[in-house]
Amino acid sequence: MKTLNSPVDLSSIDATIEQIESMLADHFGDLGLKLGRPIVVRKNSKIFKATIEATPSVECAVKICFLPGTQLLDKISAKAQFRALERVAYALMEHDAQHAVPKPLYLLPELGTYVMEWVEGKSLTKKMQRPLTLLGASGEFERAGTWLGAFHSAGPLRHQTVDLSHRLAVLDEVSGAALPVEIFLNAVSLLKRSAPGLAGRDVANSWLHGDCKSDNFILTRESIYGVDIALIYENPIEFDIAMFLNHLGRLTLHPRYLYLLPLRKHFEQSFWRGYLRTGPAVSVPYLNWLRLEFLLSSWHTELHGHHPNFRSKVLNETFSILAWRLSNDLEMQEAT
């Protein structure tokens, strides 16, 4: 008996694409539709830009979901992502039309595929790649902050007390095979020492983006769109903020983006201006703890057991700088 996520018996990805084109053409009234080459390729998905040959023509994005590292169609993920888009699109529309997600159009669960509105814009990361627009980029970070705040406020917002049991279990796994780096070891010790002081704090719980980084904010002249939303769990809002700020910290230490390093604090302040205008209250002590714990988990995942090379050396240096910076913030917090 096949389960919902059983692999589809297709000879190649080309056969999959032909089936998708045929089924979508039928759905949209026998109108022509071609996927062409994928414009985004990730380990678990491919996204195609397609044009529905109506009058006027309609541009859309077609996302095919795969089980990671394979060409096997992931029906469960496609369905979950499509339903998440539906929920968020409706909630944000009720909340504020300027903050949006690509409108979901059609789901093909048997082919691990769904269709959504095509958004003609640039990601926040791409905006940062253009030195002549750096001054304007701070305003774009503010827009990203307002989007995330609106997203959290539109979700099933409720309050809970801080429970670090799961995060401490993750930390135990990481420290059990700790990287032999003094900053890493000191940060583990600091997190364990400071955890009891956070227990019982009140925090806001809502939807989580799940992959909150500058790549996943698409900016147009009128609106800002959040993309690649997981919406699998509801957790403290600080999770998304920690992920976004950590990604920004890593990005501004990457050799390709070092020219942005002097502007990091400015970008963070702009993000906070936007978030605090539309989002729930944030527990800064809890956020600082999460940022350091998330960083150590990423550091361990990306470098543990890997042979030294140029990339690992750059990553190790980046993580060391960020861990030192975040540890200082947490120690100052403890002192007060």
PDB file of all heavy atoms in Angstrom, residues 139-164:
ATOM      1  N   GLY A 139      16.273  51.497   4.688  1.00  0.00           N
ATOM      2  CA  GLY A 139      14.822  51.575   4.619  1.00  0.00           C
ATOM      3  C   GLY A 139      14.199  50.239   4.256  1.00  0.00           C
ATOM      4  O   GLY A 139      13.104  49.895   4.729  1.00  0.00           O
ATOM      5  N   GLU A 140      14.916  49.431   3.436  1.00  0.00           N
ATOM      6  CA  GLU A 140      14.404  48.117   3.071  1.00  0.00           C
ATOM      7  C   GLU A 140      14.446  47.173   4.269  1.00  0.00           C
ATOM      8  O   GLU A 140      13.581  46.312   4.424  1.00  0.00           O
ATOM      9  CB  GLU A 140      15.209  47.540   1.899  1.00  0.00           C
ATOM     10  CG  GLU A 140      15.358  48.455   0.695  1.00  0.00           C
ATOM     11  CD  GLU A 140      14.037  48.744  -0.020  1.00  0.00           C
ATOM     12  OE1 GLU A 140      12.966  48.606   0.595  1.00  0.00           O
ATOM     13  OE2 GLU A 140      14.098  49.124  -1.209  1.00  0.00           O
ATOM     14  N   PHE A 141      15.462  47.316   5.122  1.00  0.00           N
ATOM     15  CA  PHE A 141      15.495  46.515   6.343  1.00  0.00           C
ATOM     16  C   PHE A 141      14.344  46.895   7.271  1.00  0.00           C
ATOM     17  O   PHE A 141      13.778  46.029   7.949  1.00  0.00           O
ATOM     18  CB  PHE A 141      16.835  46.694   7.065  1.00  0.00           C
ATOM     19  CG  PHE A 141      17.881  45.725   6.610  1.00  0.00           C
ATOM     20  CD1 PHE A 141      18.692  46.021   5.529  1.00  0.00           C
ATOM     21  CD2 PHE A 141      18.034  44.502   7.245  1.00  0.00           C
ATOM     22  CE1 PHE A 141      19.645  45.104   5.089  1.00  0.00           C
ATOM     23  CE2 PHE A 141      18.979  43.597   6.814  1.00  0.00           C
ATOM     24  CZ  PHE A 141      19.792  43.896   5.735  1.00  0.00           C
ATOM     25  N   GLU A 142      13.986  48.141   7.291  1.00  0.00           N
ATOM     26  CA  GLU A 142      12.833  48.553   8.093  1.00  0.00           C
ATOM     27  C   GLU A 142      11.560  47.905   7.560  1.00  0.00           C
ATOM     28  O   GLU A 142      10.711  47.443   8.325  1.00  0.00           O
ATOM     29  CB  GLU A 142      12.707  50.080   8.076  1.00  0.00           C
ATOM     30  CG  GLU A 142      11.629  50.602   9.007  1.00  0.00           C
ATOM     31  CD  GLU A 142      11.689  52.116   9.187  1.00  0.00           C
ATOM     32  OE1 GLU A 142      12.750  52.706   8.902  1.00  0.00           O
ATOM     33  OE2 GLU A 142      10.678  52.692   9.613  1.00  0.00           O
ATOM     34  N   ARG A 143      11.441  47.833   6.238  1.00  0.00           N
ATOM     35  CA  ARG A 143      10.274  47.176   5.642  1.00  0.00           C
ATOM     36  C   ARG A 143      10.238  45.690   5.992  1.00  0.00           C
ATOM     37  O   ARG A 143       9.169  45.125   6.252  1.00  0.00           O
ATOM     38  CB  ARG A 143      10.287  47.351   4.122  1.00  0.00           C
ATOM     39  CG  ARG A 143      10.074  48.786   3.653  1.00  0.00           C
ATOM     40  CD  ARG A 143      10.242  48.894   2.147  1.00  0.00           C
ATOM     41  NE  ARG A 143       9.131  48.272   1.424  1.00  0.00           N
ATOM     42  CZ  ARG A 143       9.139  48.024   0.119  1.00  0.00           C
ATOM     43  NH1 ARG A 143      10.218  48.328  -0.601  1.00  0.00           N
ATOM     44  NH2 ARG A 143       8.104  47.470  -0.466  1.00  0.00           N
ATOM     45  N   ALA A 144      11.413  45.051   6.005  1.00  0.00           N
ATOM     46  CA  ALA A 144      11.466  43.641   6.400  1.00  0.00           C
ATOM     47  C   ALA A 144      11.011  43.471   7.842  1.00  0.00           C
ATOM     48  O   ALA A 144      10.290  42.526   8.182  1.00  0.00           O
ATOM     49  CB  ALA A 144      12.884  43.093   6.218  1.00  0.00           C
ATOM     50  N   GLY A 145      11.425  44.408   8.700  1.00  0.00           N
ATOM     51  CA  GLY A 145      10.990  44.352  10.094  1.00  0.00           C
ATOM     52  C   GLY A 145       9.488  44.522  10.238  1.00  0.00           C
ATOM     53  O   GLY A 145       8.846  43.804  11.017  1.00  0.00           O
ATOM     54  N   THR A 146       8.900  45.454   9.472  1.00  0.00           N
ATOM     55  CA  THR A 146       7.444  45.639   9.554  1.00  0.00           C
ATOM     56  C   THR A 146       6.714  44.403   9.034  1.00  0.00           C
ATOM     57  O   THR A 146       5.667  44.023   9.569  1.00  0.00           O
ATOM     58  CB  THR A 146       6.977  46.881   8.771  1.00  0.00           C
ATOM     59  OG1 THR A 146       7.314  46.742   7.389  1.00  0.00           O
ATOM     60  CG2 THR A 146       7.608  48.149   9.314  1.00  0.00           C
ATOM     61  N   TRP A 147       7.272  43.735   7.984  1.00  0.00           N
ATOM     62  CA  TRP A 147       6.625  42.521   7.481  1.00  0.00           C
ATOM     63  C   TRP A 147       6.622  41.435   8.552  1.00  0.00           C
ATOM     64  O   TRP A 147       5.590  40.812   8.813  1.00  0.00           O
ATOM     65  CB  TRP A 147       7.340  41.992   6.234  1.00  0.00           C
ATOM     66  CG  TRP A 147       6.590  40.838   5.619  1.00  0.00           C
ATOM     67  CD1 TRP A 147       5.682  40.879   4.607  1.00  0.00           C
ATOM     68  CD2 TRP A 147       6.655  39.451   6.019  1.00  0.00           C
ATOM     69  NE1 TRP A 147       5.171  39.625   4.342  1.00  0.00           N
ATOM     70  CE2 TRP A 147       5.750  38.725   5.203  1.00  0.00           C
ATOM     71  CE3 TRP A 147       7.380  38.760   6.999  1.00  0.00           C
ATOM     72  CZ2 TRP A 147       5.556  37.354   5.333  1.00  0.00           C
ATOM     73  CZ3 TRP A 147       7.185  37.382   7.128  1.00  0.00           C
ATOM     74  CH2 TRP A 147       6.284  36.702   6.297  1.00  0.00           C
ATOM     75  N   LEU A 148       7.783  41.199   9.175  1.00  0.00           N
ATOM     76  CA  LEU A 148       7.866  40.129  10.164  1.00  0.00           C
ATOM     77  C   LEU A 148       6.971  40.436  11.366  1.00  0.00           C
ATOM     78  O   LEU A 148       6.302  39.540  11.898  1.00  0.00           O
ATOM     79  CB  LEU A 148       9.313  39.934  10.613  1.00  0.00           C
ATOM     80  CG  LEU A 148       9.568  38.704  11.495  1.00  0.00           C
ATOM     81  CD1 LEU A 148       9.178  37.415  10.767  1.00  0.00           C
ATOM     82  CD2 LEU A 148      11.027  38.653  11.941  1.00  0.00           C
ATOM     83  N   GLY A 149       6.935  41.713  11.784  1.00  0.00           N
ATOM     84  CA  GLY A 149       6.055  42.081  12.884  1.00  0.00           C
ATOM     85  C   GLY A 149       4.594  41.868  12.543  1.00  0.00           C
ATOM     86  O   GLY A 149       3.815  41.349  13.356  1.00  0.00           O
ATOM     87  N   ALA A 150       4.198  42.252  11.325  1.00  0.00           N
ATOM     88  CA  ALA A 150       2.814  42.052  10.892  1.00  0.00           C
ATOM     89  C   ALA A 150       2.477  40.571  10.801  1.00  0.00           C
ATOM     90  O   ALA A 150       1.376  40.136  11.166  1.00  0.00           O
ATOM     91  CB  ALA A 150       2.591  42.737   9.544  1.00  0.00           C
ATOM     92  N   PHE A 151       3.423  39.767  10.310  1.00  0.00           N
ATOM     93  CA  PHE A 151       3.235  38.324  10.203  1.00  0.00           C
ATOM     94  C   PHE A 151       3.006  37.698  11.575  1.00  0.00           C
ATOM     95  O   PHE A 151       2.074  36.912  11.777  1.00  0.00           O
ATOM     96  CB  PHE A 151       4.472  37.728   9.521  1.00  0.00           C
ATOM     97  CG  PHE A 151       4.563  36.232   9.551  1.00  0.00           C
ATOM     98  CD1 PHE A 151       3.743  35.451   8.749  1.00  0.00           C
ATOM     99  CD2 PHE A 151       5.505  35.600  10.362  1.00  0.00           C
ATOM    100  CE1 PHE A 151       3.842  34.062   8.761  1.00  0.00           C
ATOM    101  CE2 PHE A 151       5.617  34.218  10.376  1.00  0.00           C
ATOM    102  CZ  PHE A 151       4.783  33.451   9.584  1.00  0.00           C
ATOM    103  N   HIS A 152       3.849  38.061  12.541  1.00  0.00           N
ATOM    104  CA  HIS A 152       3.673  37.516  13.892  1.00  0.00           C
ATOM    105  C   HIS A 152       2.363  37.986  14.524  1.00  0.00           C
ATOM    106  O   HIS A 152       1.682  37.206  15.203  1.00  0.00           O
ATOM    107  CB  HIS A 152       4.856  37.939  14.778  1.00  0.00           C
ATOM    108  CG  HIS A 152       6.127  37.210  14.470  1.00  0.00           C
ATOM    109  ND1 HIS A 152       7.375  37.729  14.762  1.00  0.00           N
ATOM    110  CD2 HIS A 152       6.359  36.002  13.886  1.00  0.00           C
ATOM    111  CE1 HIS A 152       8.304  36.872  14.390  1.00  0.00           C
ATOM    112  NE2 HIS A 152       7.718  35.818  13.844  1.00  0.00           N
ATOM    113  N   SER A 153       2.006  39.246  14.291  1.00  0.00           N
ATOM    114  CA  SER A 153       0.767  39.777  14.874  1.00  0.00           C
ATOM    115  C   SER A 153      -0.467  39.160  14.229  1.00  0.00           C
ATOM    116  O   SER A 153      -1.519  39.029  14.871  1.00  0.00           O
ATOM    117  CB  SER A 153       0.722  41.299  14.721  1.00  0.00           C
ATOM    118  OG  SER A 153       1.739  41.908  15.504  1.00  0.00           O
ATOM    119  N   ALA A 154      -0.374  38.788  12.950  1.00  0.00           N
ATOM    120  CA  ALA A 154      -1.524  38.215  12.242  1.00  0.00           C
ATOM    121  C   ALA A 154      -1.757  36.765  12.609  1.00  0.00           C
ATOM    122  O   ALA A 154      -2.840  36.221  12.375  1.00  0.00           O
ATOM    123  CB  ALA A 154      -1.320  38.341  10.733  1.00  0.00           C
ATOM    124  N   GLY A 155      -0.747  36.110  13.169  1.00  0.00           N
ATOM    125  CA  GLY A 155      -0.865  34.703  13.514  1.00  0.00           C
ATOM    126  C   GLY A 155      -1.668  34.490  14.787  1.00  0.00           C
ATOM    127  O   GLY A 155      -2.201  35.441  15.379  1.00  0.00           O
ATOM    128  N   PRO A 156      -1.746  33.250  15.246  1.00  0.00           N
ATOM    129  CA  PRO A 156      -2.522  32.912  16.454  1.00  0.00           C
ATOM    130  C   PRO A 156      -1.761  33.318  17.709  1.00  0.00           C
ATOM    131  O   PRO A 156      -1.273  32.478  18.477  1.00  0.00           O
ATOM    132  CB  PRO A 156      -2.669  31.393  16.343  1.00  0.00           C
ATOM    133  CG  PRO A 156      -1.455  30.955  15.593  1.00  0.00           C
ATOM    134  CD  PRO A 156      -1.133  32.064  14.629  1.00  0.00           C
ATOM    135  N   LEU A 157      -1.628  34.615  17.917  1.00  0.00           N
ATOM    136  CA  LEU A 157      -0.769  35.163  18.964  1.00  0.00           C
ATOM    137  C   LEU A 157      -1.273  34.770  20.354  1.00  0.00           C
ATOM    138  O   LEU A 157      -2.430  34.999  20.694  1.00  0.00           O
ATOM    139  CB  LEU A 157      -0.719  36.691  18.829  1.00  0.00           C
ATOM    140  CG  LEU A 157       0.350  37.430  19.620  1.00  0.00           C
ATOM    141  CD1 LEU A 157       1.749  36.979  19.194  1.00  0.00           C
ATOM    142  CD2 LEU A 157       0.198  38.927  19.409  1.00  0.00           C
ATOM    143  N   ARG A 158      -0.393  34.186  21.129  1.00  0.00           N
ATOM    144  CA  ARG A 158      -0.709  33.837  22.513  1.00  0.00           C
ATOM    145  C   ARG A 158       0.568  33.939  23.335  1.00  0.00           C
ATOM    146  O   ARG A 158       1.661  34.042  22.779  1.00  0.00           O
ATOM    147  CB  ARG A 158      -1.317  32.434  22.607  1.00  0.00           C
ATOM    148  CG  ARG A 158      -0.487  31.339  21.977  1.00  0.00           C
ATOM    149  CD  ARG A 158      -1.170  29.965  22.113  1.00  0.00           C
ATOM    150  NE  ARG A 158      -2.380  29.903  21.341  1.00  0.00           N
ATOM    151  CZ  ARG A 158      -2.444  29.479  20.076  1.00  0.00           C
ATOM    152  NH1 ARG A 158      -1.328  29.113  19.447  1.00  0.00           N
ATOM    153  NH2 ARG A 158      -3.577  29.421  19.414  1.00  0.00           N
ATOM    154  N   HIS A 159       0.434  33.897  24.645  1.00  0.00           N
ATOM    155  CA  HIS A 159       1.608  34.061  25.504  1.00  0.00           C
ATOM    156  C   HIS A 159       1.929  32.771  26.244  1.00  0.00           C
ATOM    157  O   HIS A 159       1.048  31.961  26.534  1.00  0.00           O
ATOM    158  CB  HIS A 159       1.384  35.203  26.498  1.00  0.00           C
ATOM    159  CG  HIS A 159       1.391  36.547  25.841  1.00  0.00           C
ATOM    160  ND1 HIS A 159       2.538  37.295  25.686  1.00  0.00           N
ATOM    161  CD2 HIS A 159       0.401  37.256  25.252  1.00  0.00           C
ATOM    162  CE1 HIS A 159       2.248  38.417  25.046  1.00  0.00           C
ATOM    163  NE2 HIS A 159       0.959  38.415  24.778  1.00  0.00           N
ATOM    164  N   GLN A 160       3.217  32.590  26.528  1.00  0.00           N
ATOM    165  CA  GLN A 160       3.675  31.436  27.284  1.00  0.00           C
ATOM    166  C   GLN A 160       4.910  31.841  28.068  1.00  0.00           C
ATOM    167  O   GLN A 160       5.468  32.928  27.866  1.00  0.00           O
ATOM    168  CB  GLN A 160       4.011  30.276  26.359  1.00  0.00           C
ATOM    169  CG  GLN A 160       5.236  30.513  25.470  1.00  0.00           C
ATOM    170  CD  GLN A 160       5.593  29.280  24.657  1.00  0.00           C
ATOM    171  OE1 GLN A 160       4.776  28.762  23.932  1.00  0.00           O
ATOM    172  NE2 GLN A 160       6.844  28.822  24.790  1.00  0.00           N
ATOM    173  N   THR A 161       5.335  30.979  28.970  1.00  0.00           N
ATOM    174  CA  THR A 161       6.558  31.251  29.713  1.00  0.00           C
ATOM    175  C   THR A 161       7.727  30.530  29.049  1.00  0.00           C
ATOM    176  O   THR A 161       7.550  29.496  28.393  1.00  0.00           O
ATOM    177  CB  THR A 161       6.441  30.799  31.178  1.00  0.00           C
ATOM    178  OG1 THR A 161       6.079  29.416  31.210  1.00  0.00           O
ATOM    179  CG2 THR A 161       5.395  31.626  31.907  1.00  0.00           C
ATOM    180  N   VAL A 162       8.908  31.075  29.205  1.00  0.00           N
ATOM    181  CA  VAL A 162      10.103  30.510  28.583  1.00  0.00           C
ATOM    182  C   VAL A 162      10.373  29.108  29.130  1.00  0.00           C
ATOM    183  O   VAL A 162      10.392  28.883  30.338  1.00  0.00           O
ATOM    184  CB  VAL A 162      11.327  31.416  28.834  1.00  0.00           C
ATOM    185  CG1 VAL A 162      12.620  30.700  28.437  1.00  0.00           C
ATOM    186  CG2 VAL A 162      11.181  32.728  28.075  1.00  0.00           C
ATOM    187  N   ASP A 163      10.567  28.171  28.220  1.00  0.00           N
ATOM    188  CA  ASP A 163      10.940  26.796  28.553  1.00  0.00           C
ATOM    189  C   ASP A 163      12.141  26.435  27.688  1.00  0.00           C
ATOM    190  O   ASP A 163      12.025  26.277  26.473  1.00  0.00           O
ATOM    191  CB  ASP A 163       9.770  25.846  28.285  1.00  0.00           C
ATOM    192  CG  ASP A 163      10.108  24.392  28.600  1.00  0.00           C
ATOM    193  OD1 ASP A 163      11.247  24.132  29.069  1.00  0.00           O
ATOM    194  OD2 ASP A 163       9.253  23.526  28.371  1.00  0.00           O
ATOM    195  N   LEU A 164      13.296  26.314  28.322  1.00  0.00           N
ATOM    196  CA  LEU A 164      14.542  26.072  27.583  1.00  0.00           C
ATOM    197  C   LEU A 164      14.938  24.598  27.571  1.00  0.00           C
ATOM    198  O   LEU A 164      16.050  24.272  27.142  1.00  0.00           O
ATOM    199  CB  LEU A 164      15.676  26.906  28.187  1.00  0.00           C
ATOM    200  CG  LEU A 164      15.592  28.424  27.977  1.00  0.00           C
ATOM    201  CD1 LEU A 164      16.715  29.119  28.727  1.00  0.00           C
ATOM    202  CD2 LEU A 164      15.643  28.766  26.506  1.00  0.00           C
TER     203      LEU A 164
END
